[in-house]
Amino acid sequence: MAALIAENFRFLSLFFKSKDVMIFNGLVALGTVGSEELFSVVAFHCPCSPARNYIYGLAAIGVPALALFLIGVIWNNHTWNLVAECHKRGVKNFSAAATFLLFGSIMGRAAVAPVTWSVISLLRGEAYICALSEFVKPSSLDKFPPEYGADVLARFPCRDVPANLTKFRDEVTRRLRYESQLFGWLLIGIVAVLVFLTKCLKHCCSPLSYRQEAYWAQYRSNEDKLFRRTAEVHSRILAAKNVKHFFGFVALDKEEKELVQEFPVEGVQPSPQWNAITGVYIYRENKGFPLYSRLHKWAKGVEGNGPTPEGHELLFLAS
């Protein structure tokens, strides 16, 4: 079980740090598939007992899916941008469409892992068979002995049945596996259609051209990488300065000495500046010129996040 959790966290970490959303989704899907396979081999054991089978089967599908969904929500940067936005500014500046798209983005990305888990569980069929074997009507089985009931049907997933019921066990297993896999393929089809419609709707409603959207994505990626790299260097230099002030000297390696000499840090950014560049970003234009991020807007000295007469609204949905 520990290996299962570690594998999920490793893949999800790669997913949520990836700069490409498709690779991001692929990694989390592959990680979930591997985890589900491991869970089926190591941790899944149907109790083969009336009433318990149904609860255990549903829990085997639903509880890991719920846990993966919550992890996806927690590890999504948009979640905490939204929390910061609500805490600092509220959502009064968001239109209903922007708010809907924001929650849709968070929920959609968080749903990749749980949907994958559910699909693989349904295609494998073990949990579904375990949950529903006791509910198969004996009357639907040709020449099923009348003296046997739900207690025996509940033992079918464990193959712990009398010899004269072997063919009935195989028929029930085959029937339930068919239903489980059918639901799995239907779920794949529904998700594929929803993804297709969402992509079409996004591009149809976007005020930006395809090339400008691509440029915007490149800008966000480059800004984020440069910001993280610069913040790491700035914090290291500031820490070195404070340590030297306390001890009178600071033990730096060659690379750190070069950084301190090349980039002198005189002070720190005040909280209002951090608040100004933190939160959900709504795409705006100022006098016809695009503002691609909160940092870009702050650098241009533009105040507020409310709609402007000449502005276009497009929710910042990419990481």
Side-chain angles (χ1 to χ4, degrees):
M1 198 63 180
L4 166 68
I5 296 173
E7 185 174 357
N8 263 316
F9 270 88
R10 182 168 60 253
F11 275 98
L12 286 170
S13 178
L14 289 173
F15 184 121
F16 284 102
K17 291 179 180 178
S18 173
K19 62 182 179 182
D20 184 81
V21 174
M22 297 304 295
I23 295 176
F24 204 16
N25 293 345
L27 286 175
V28 77
L30 288 175
T32 306
V33 170
S35 298
E36 206 285 333
E37 291 291 332
L38 182 63
F39 173 79
S40 298
V41 173
V42 176
F44 183 81
H45 300 288
C46 185
C48 295
S49 173
R52 296 179 181 177
N53 280 16
Y54 183 70
I55 297 175
Y56 185 83
L58 291 184
I61 298 176
V63 173
L66 176 61
L68 290 172
F69 178 78
L70 293 177
I71 291 173
V73 172
I74 291 170
W75 283 16
N76 192 327
N77 289 334
H78 293 321
T79 302
W80 306 114
N81 282 333
L82 178 62
V83 171
E85 187 73 23
C86 294
H87 177 65
K88 297 297 181 182
R89 288 173 285 270
V91 294
K92 59 182 181 296
N93 293 324
F94 291 173
S95 67
T99 304
F100 174 78
L101 287 174
L102 175 61
F103 279 101
S105 174
I106 295 173
M107 298 299 108
R109 294 184 185 186
V112 173
V115 167
T116 303
W117 179 279
S118 300
V119 166
I120 298 302
S121 297
L122 289 172
L123 292 179
R124 288 182 60 87
E126 280 86 352
Y128 187 90
I129 293 171
C130 176
L132 297 182
S133 62
E134 64 182 285
F135 298 104
V136 175
K137 294 182 179 180
S139 59
S140 66
L141 302 172
D142 187 32
K143 298 181 180 180
F144 186 80
E147 63 269 20
Y148 297 113
D151 56 335
V152 174
L153 291 170
R155 288 156 47 193
F156 277 11
C158 297
R159 301 181 180 274
D160 181 21
V161 295
N164 64 324
L165 297 181
T166 300
K167 67 174 183 178
F168 298 107
R169 181 199 65 202
D170 294 340
E171 181 179 349
V172 169
T173 301
R174 184 167 52 252
R175 182 187 302 179
L176 293 178
R177 192 180 301 277
Y178 155 76
E179 293 178 2
S180 180
Q181 292 184 348
L182 177 62
F183 290 140
W185 290 119
L186 288 175
L187 182 57
I188 291 175
I190 292 171
V191 170
V193 170
L194 289 176
V195 170
F196 172 74
L197 293 177
T198 301
K199 295 291 289 184
C200 290
L201 183 63
K202 176 188 174 184
H203 287 290
C204 289
C205 297
S206 173
L208 305 182
S209 66
Y210 174 77
R211 289 187 181 276
Q212 190 176 6
E213 278 200 29
Y215 177 85
W216 188 22
Q218 291 173 344
Y219 173 85
R220 289 194 306 265
S221 177
N222 289 327
E223 181 189 84
D224 183 65
K225 287 188 293 186
L226 290 171
F227 189 91
R228 289 176 182 272
R229 191 187 310 161
T230 304
E232 195 276 333
V233 173
H234 186 282
S235 62
R236 187 186 304 183
I237 296 173
L238 181 63
K241 180 179 178 181
N242 292 334
V243 170
K244 183 178 180 179
H245 183 73
F246 183 82
F247 287 107
F249 73 96
V250 59
L252 300 175
D253 58 29
K254 182 179 179 180
E255 179 185 357
E256 291 170 335
K257 289 179 180 178
E258 293 175 353
L259 287 176
V260 171
Q261 293 174 358
E262 185 176 359
F263 306 110
V265 173
E266 299 299 333
V268 297
Q269 290 68 32
S271 293
Q273 290 187 10
W274 286 105
N275 293 336
I277 67 170
T278 303
V280 178
Y281 180 65
I282 302 292
Y283 175 83
R284 300 294 182 195
E285 291 184 358
N286 183 40
K287 298 180 180 179
F289 292 95
L291 300 172
Y292 290 119
S293 69
R294 282 196 170 276
L295 182 60
H296 189 189
K297 188 174 70 170
W298 173 85
K300 291 295 183 180
V302 179
E303 298 293 335
N305 195 36
T308 58
E310 73 281 4
H312 298 290
E313 183 178 80
L314 183 63
L315 191 63
F316 174 12
L317 294 179
S319 57

